[in-house]
Amino acid sequence: MTTSRRRPGGGGTARRRPFRLLLVAGARPNFMKIAPLLREFRKRPDLFHARLVHTGQHYDELMSDVFFEELEIPPPAIHLGVGSSSHAVQTARIMEAFEKVLVKERPDWIVVVGDVNSTLACAVVACKMTPPVPVAHVEAGLRSRDRTMPEEINRIVTDALSDLLFTTSPDADRNLIAEGVERRRIRRVGNVMIDTLRRFVRRSDDSDVMQRLEIAPPYALLTLHRPSNVDDPGALRRIFAALRALGREVPIIFPVHPRTLARMEELGVRLGAPPVKRGLRMVGPLGYLDFLHLQKRAALVLTDSGGIQEETTILGVPCLTLRENTERPITITRGTNRLVGSDPGRIVASGRRILRRGPARRPSRLWDGRAAVRIAAIFRRIHERVRGRTVAPGGARRA
Ligand code: UD1
């Protein structure tokens, strides 16, 4: 793949017009990554015409709408409304719908984030347009080396197809280089999800979620939705056995993901009545600010999510990851994360140790809240190269 065959824009009347960017978001963990990017691009309407495409992979109030409100994301310009289905059907529906969007909109670039099915589907479609639409992947290069994870497949394919790969950490750069990606395509810019965390952490202090749910510290916070944990009845039962044991020492607050709730109902896993002082306390999915409020004050976070491993690192909260591997090793070497898998003995022993000892180490240099600023600056330079130098709103020439 070469950039020349994908050179955006062209000459003539198009020379000075802004880049038309389509930013893609589909599922809950995408929204906090897309928010700072949209904000930065929209600061320069002379250079960028940035619009959001929501694929509708996540579609309900608690998994989608609340994030738009709280993170001040403008309503999507285009909504594909694909909804839930098997991986193949969901991916195919996104591809079909997104192809029509690209045919009509003809953007200069698309920007995809993270590793969900929407990320992969839109990257594939863009590459197969005639001429291809260049793809920028934000959060590129992360690898768990576990190809049973749908997200790992999404990461590998998206990175293989992307023209610009924005990374969060040196391990991601190394992974991409080892896979043959040219160095000039890789830009280490930091972590856009941490941009959002840093922007909203003070606002989250005002959340009344503790009063509403009658929670008082100390408590542990749990999230669980990976297919490897919740679709495998053995793993799910083992994890719940460990959680019940740990729950005798500290209450565990558990905002339940819809897919986990469905699996628990199918398997007949019951947690009993919700005791407030001890044990597992199930609640519905939480909004961004409520979840951040609880995360910041937790004695311990237990999770199988990717992003939460990073957020806890920045917050300095100990994190036990209920997986055998992570695509985010920097959260272990430079953060607060520890892998404990689904083995009850390891989960309980590590949990007890942390509850006795407390945190923690500190984060990485580029996770400073300015990743989206760096990304927009890179696009500004590309715009200048392709379209020539631009005149700023005040009349001064911008370099
Ligand atoms: C997806 C992502 C995963 C991400 C997770 C965060 C892929 C392969 N996986 O997994 O990387 O960590 O989102 O949440 O893209 N559902 C609802 N309401 C919704 C959305 C989904 O009830 O708004 C239910 C669906 O009916 C379905 C289940 O949740 O049964 C799974 O949704 P889906 O988007 O397919 O995958 P996730 O498991 O959420």
Side-chain angles (χ1 to χ4, degrees):
M1 189 188 314
T2 63
T3 31
S4 55
R5 85 179 164 88
R6 302 178 150 217
R7 207 140 130 226
T13 53
R15 274 197 73 78
R16 272 180 306 277
R17 70 171 167 74
F19 268 171
R20 287 184 316 247
L21 306 178
L22 283 185
L23 281 65
V24 176
R28 185 169 62 177
N30 290 164
F31 304 132
M32 40 292 239
K33 295 171 192 167
I34 219 77
L37 291 169
L38 260 181
R39 191 174 312 111
E40 279 312 310
F41 286 131
R42 288 190 168 199
K43 284 182 187 165
R44 289 297 304 268
D46 55 324
L47 299 183
F48 307 120
H49 180 57
R51 299 195 307 149
L52 178 62
V53 179
H54 188 332
T55 65
Q57 177 174 347
H58 285 177
Y59 42 83
D60 62 33
E61 158 71 25
L62 295 175
M63 298 296 285
S64 174
D65 302 359
V66 64
F67 294 89
F68 279 77
E69 283 154 36
E70 292 187 345
L71 304 180
E72 298 162 355
I73 307 173
I78 299 163
H79 201 297
L80 307 183
V82 297
S84 301
S85 205
S86 69
H87 284 272
V89 171
Q90 186 177 61
T91 306
R93 280 188 190 142
I94 299 168
M95 289 176 69
E96 240 184 304
F98 192 61
E99 187 182 49
K100 293 192 182 100
V101 172
L102 291 190
V103 167
K104 182 156 175 262
E105 302 287 330
R106 283 272 148 215
D108 295 304
W109 281 84
I110 71 156
V111 179
V112 296
V113 297
D115 57 11
V116 302
N117 288 341
S118 304
T119 313
L120 163 111
C122 295
V124 172
V125 172
C127 292
K128 290 192 162 200
M129 296 296 291
T130 314
V133 177
V135 178
H137 184 205
V138 176
E139 203 186 78
L142 300 182
R143 295 290 182 271
S144 65
R145 323 226 178 275
D146 175 0
R147 291 201 179 192
T148 64
M149 284 179 78
E151 293 82 359
E152 182 75 351
I153 306 299
N154 294 343
R155 291 189 279 262
I156 292 168
V157 176
T158 305
D159 286 342
L161 299 177
S162 294
D163 298 87
L164 254 183
L165 299 102
F166 293 114
T167 61
T168 53
S169 51
D171 56 283
D173 299 12
R174 286 194 294 272
N175 291 335
L176 293 171
I177 288 162
E179 288 173 19
V181 177
E182 296 160 275
R183 272 175 201 274
R184 66 190 177 86
R185 296 187 191 283
I186 304 169
R187 309 291 167 87
R188 187 162 357 126
V189 289
N191 193 324
V192 285
M193 198 188 61
I194 301 304
D195 290 4
T196 294
L197 183 143
R198 290 192 186 279
R199 182 176 162 94
F200 286 95
V201 72
R202 279 219 196 94
R203 204 175 298 176
S204 80
D205 288 340
D206 297 335
S207 158
D208 62 356
V209 64
M210 296 251 217
Q211 292 91 299
R212 281 195 337 265
L213 300 179
E214 298 178 44
I215 298 167
Y219 60 86
L221 184 63
L222 165 71
T223 79
L224 198 63
H225 75 279
R226 292 262 157 239
S228 58
N229 282 332
V230 306
D231 291 355
D232 171 358
L236 191 58
R237 290 209 174 87
R238 280 198 301 280
I239 289 172
F240 278 120
L243 295 172
R244 279 194 201 95
L246 204 56
R248 284 196 275 278
E249 307 195 13
V250 68
I252 303 175
I253 313 302
F254 181 21
V256 188
H257 188 286
R259 81 175 278 127
T260 309
L261 190 61
R263 294 298 169 276
M264 288 170 67
E265 282 166 4
E266 277 164 31
L267 296 174
V269 177
R270 279 195 218 317
L271 301 173
V276 176
K277 299 235 180 308
R278 286 284 176 268
L280 266 174
R281 169 85 190 280
M282 281 172 69
V283 298
L286 295 172
Y288 185 80
L289 298 174
D290 286 348
F291 189 78
L292 186 51
H293 187 95
L294 290 183
Q295 211 182 164
K296 186 176 166 190
R297 290 157 181 80
L300 163 67
V301 170
L302 301 123
T303 191
D304 60 4
S305 146
I308 292 172
Q309 299 170 45
E310 296 179 342
E311 290 176 341
T312 46
T313 275
I314 296 298
L315 295 168
V317 173
C319 177
L320 295 185
T321 295
L322 306 173
R323 290 169 46 189
E324 299 296 342
N325 49 56
T326 179
E327 63 288 337
R328 292 162 161 92
I330 198 167
T331 61
I332 296 178
T333 53
R334 313 252 308 256
T336 61
N337 189 20
R338 186 176 309 182
L339 293 180
V340 292
S342 61
D343 174 65
R346 266 164 84 197
I347 297 173
V348 175
S350 306
R352 284 194 179 129
R353 251 198 316 275
I354 283 171
L355 289 172
R356 276 201 304 271
R357 256 204 262 127
R361 277 164 295 181
R362 275 280 131 188
S364 151
R365 188 176 57 83
L366 286 174
W367 297 15
D368 58 355
R370 295 184 55 78
V373 172
R374 293 184 195 102
I375 290 172
I378 289 167
F379 270 102
R380 178 168 54 78
R381 288 197 289 276
I382 297 173
H383 185 277
E384 279 162 6
R385 211 173 54 230
V386 175
R387 301 261 157 88
R389 288 160 75 88
T390 48
V391 177
R397 267 173 102 73
R398 287 181 184 255

